[in-house]
Amino acid sequence: MIYPIVVYGHPVLRKVSEDIDENYPNLKQLINDMFDTLYMSEGVGLAAPQIGKSIRLFVIDATGMAEDDPTMKDFKKVFINAQITERFGEKEMYQEGCLSVPNLSEDVLRETSIRMEYYDENWNFHDETFGGMQARIIQHEYDHLDGILYVDRLSQLRKRLLKSKLTAIMKGDFESRYKVILPGQKIR
Ligand code: ZN
């Protein structure tokens, strides 16, 4: 099934997500549904809080970017119970958007490399280092698990300039190609 995407201002996006275990009900189905939802909304990553579930799960499929960035060729992954253990390298600015903050994109400063522990969809454990665009996308999705949105990482000035746009989004005053859940729980 395709889930509607929870939009900026909804409290579930501000919760800290919980780890899950192998007994989590219908996990395989949920992961498949998250990929379907991701493809329908034409995103590259989707975290469980964005479909209203406060669990430490996110999926990424950036293989569509491989033409411009060959490091994305096989970058389709499931991340369960992820924990970033190190962030390093220079900080870099790069333009990000978010399915939960429709029609907006801003430059965000992030570390260029991370080390992270996680489980994949088969419950294999990984302790892996990611760099460049992969590290960028992972850090964005990972933030969702901690109730953080990329707009939180902007300068005070940028935040102030965006305030009216964010208020409009909270009120549902935007167009989107995909189904959404507004802060008042309304699905449209
Ligand atoms: Zn996002």
Side-chain angles (χ1 to χ4, degrees):
M1 79 178 258
I2 309 286
Y3 282 92
I5 307 268
V6 174
V7 161
Y8 182 85
H10 195 293
V12 75
L13 294 176
R14 294 311 190 177
K15 279 198 194 163
V16 177
S17 296
E18 310 254 346
D19 279 349
I20 55 170
D21 62 28
E22 292 174 50
N23 299 318
Y24 190 85
N26 304 319
L27 183 59
K28 279 252 141 72
Q29 185 63 50
L30 174 61
I31 290 168
N32 284 337
D33 289 346
M34 283 179 69
F35 275 115
D36 287 345
T37 303
L38 180 64
Y39 299 141
M40 180 58 84
S41 52
E42 297 174 29
V44 295
L46 183 70
Q50 294 181 278
I51 56 163
K53 295 183 190 296
S54 290
I55 57 173
R56 297 191 80 82
L57 164 66
F58 59 91
V59 303
I60 290 175
D61 187 346
T63 54
M65 296 165 74
E67 221 170 275
D68 299 322
D69 183 346
T71 65
M72 296 296 153
K73 194 166 71 77
D74 303 311
F75 196 44
K76 178 185 174 186
K77 278 178 190 287
V78 176
F79 298 89
I80 299 170
N81 298 347
Q83 288 294 339
I84 293 179
T85 53
E86 261 179 86
R87 298 176 197 255
F88 52 99
E90 305 243 317
K91 285 195 174 185
E92 240 173 39
M93 281 283 207
Y94 195 84
Q95 198 168 61
E96 294 185 23
C98 179
L99 294 173
S100 294
V101 191
N103 310 329
L104 207 71
S105 55
E106 288 288 324
D107 281 338
V108 183
L109 191 65
R110 292 190 193 271
E111 275 90 352
T112 48
S113 301
I114 57 161
R115 184 175 169 184
M116 189 170 73
E117 299 177 353
Y118 67 96
Y119 293 86
D120 63 27
E121 65 275 34
N122 300 312
W123 289 97
N124 295 312
F125 178 76
H126 301 264
D127 181 352
E128 228 173 306
T129 298
F130 297 92
M133 191 56 70
Q134 295 192 0
R136 162 81 46 182
I137 297 168
I138 287 172
Q139 288 179 89
H140 176 114
E141 299 310 326
Y142 184 89
D143 270 355
H144 279 295
L145 308 182
D146 289 333
I148 300 167
L149 299 169
Y150 82 88
V151 290
D152 303 339
R153 297 195 176 279
L154 304 176
S155 69
Q156 290 304 325
L157 176 64
R158 281 311 300 166
K159 276 189 216 168
R160 231 176 302 142
L161 292 171
L162 283 176
K163 199 153 193 240
S164 61
K165 283 186 182 170
L166 290 173
T167 304
I169 288 172
M170 285 171 76
K171 289 181 180 155
D173 189 9
F174 61 85
E175 298 286 325
S176 67
R177 310 176 295 277
Y178 45 89
K179 270 203 171 20
V180 295
I181 299 182
L182 296 173
Q185 307 281 346
K186 205 164 61 180
I187 299 179
R188 68 160 206 206

